């Protein structure tokens, strides 16, 4: 691993909410380009904001402006879960496992946000 790569990797571990939001947008864009993984309606997840009085909280507002919002902790994304590596792991193994770990946390996170918004739509904005 080059020294610069190591710095970039360390920076990734100290991601700020703004970086996480950018990563989420980039991941969404990447997934949109992938024909094999079509996204649900991209308008379902509104852009989040970060309440200044609540550090570590990311808030997704209802796009209809009804005042409802859903909150998640950014720690759910920033803190790696358990990473399993072989005894003789290489830097590539570690990078790969961390990427998979990040992707799994991101998909869980997105799924929770989508579920909360979908439930809210059904309860408050259902077009019967
Ligand atoms: Zn609403």
């Amino acid at each position: 691993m080059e020294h610069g790569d190591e710095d970039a990797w360390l920076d990734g571990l100290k991601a700020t909410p703004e970086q996480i939001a950018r990563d989420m947008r980039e991941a969404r864009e990447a997934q949109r380009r992938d024909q094999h993984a079509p996204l649900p309606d991209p308008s379902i997840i509104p852009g989040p904001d970060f309440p200044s009085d609540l550090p570590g909280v990311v808030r997704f507002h209802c796009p209809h402006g009804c005042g409802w919002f859903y909150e998640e902790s950014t720690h759910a994304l920033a803190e790696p879960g358990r990473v399993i590596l072989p005894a003789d792991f290489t830097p590539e193994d570690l990078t790969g496992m961390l990427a998979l770990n990040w992707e799994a946390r991101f998909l869980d996170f997105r799924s929770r946000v989508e579920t909360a918004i979908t439930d809210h739509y059904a309860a408050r904005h259902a077009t019967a």
Side-chain angles (χ1 to χ4, degrees):
M1 181 185 305
E2 298 282 324
H3 191 66
D5 292 345
E6 213 171 342
D7 286 346
W9 182 75
L10 283 173
D11 284 346
L13 292 181
K14 295 181 290 192
T16 64
E18 290 76 14
Q19 286 170 322
I20 290 167
R22 194 193 57 218
D23 288 348
M24 286 175 68
R25 273 196 303 275
E26 285 172 2
R28 242 187 286 171
E29 288 300 322
Q31 198 163 22
R32 194 172 294 150
R33 287 191 296 268
D34 182 352
Q35 296 293 317
H36 300 291
L39 265 188
D41 182 2
S43 68
I44 195 171
I45 297 186
D49 70 9
F50 303 93
S52 56
D53 54 330
L54 293 169
V57 168
V58 54
R59 187 177 281 172
F60 296 85
H61 290 270
C62 174
H64 290 289
C66 73
W68 177 91
F69 56 81
Y70 174 72
E71 288 179 341
E72 272 278 343
S73 166
T74 56
H75 298 297
L77 284 173
E79 286 170 11
R82 191 158 174 234
V83 175
I84 299 167
L85 290 166
D88 58 345
F89 72 91
T90 65
E92 288 74 27
D93 289 334
L94 181 58
T95 306
M97 282 307 297
L98 286 172
L100 278 177
N101 189 284
W102 156 255
E103 191 178 349
R105 278 177 288 137
F106 171 76
L107 291 175
D108 278 354
F109 181 96
R110 197 184 66 184
S111 154
R112 287 196 301 274
V113 174
E114 281 174 355
T115 300
I117 293 174
T118 303
D119 289 352
H120 168 71
Y121 269 44
R124 294 283 304 274
H125 306 291
T127 50

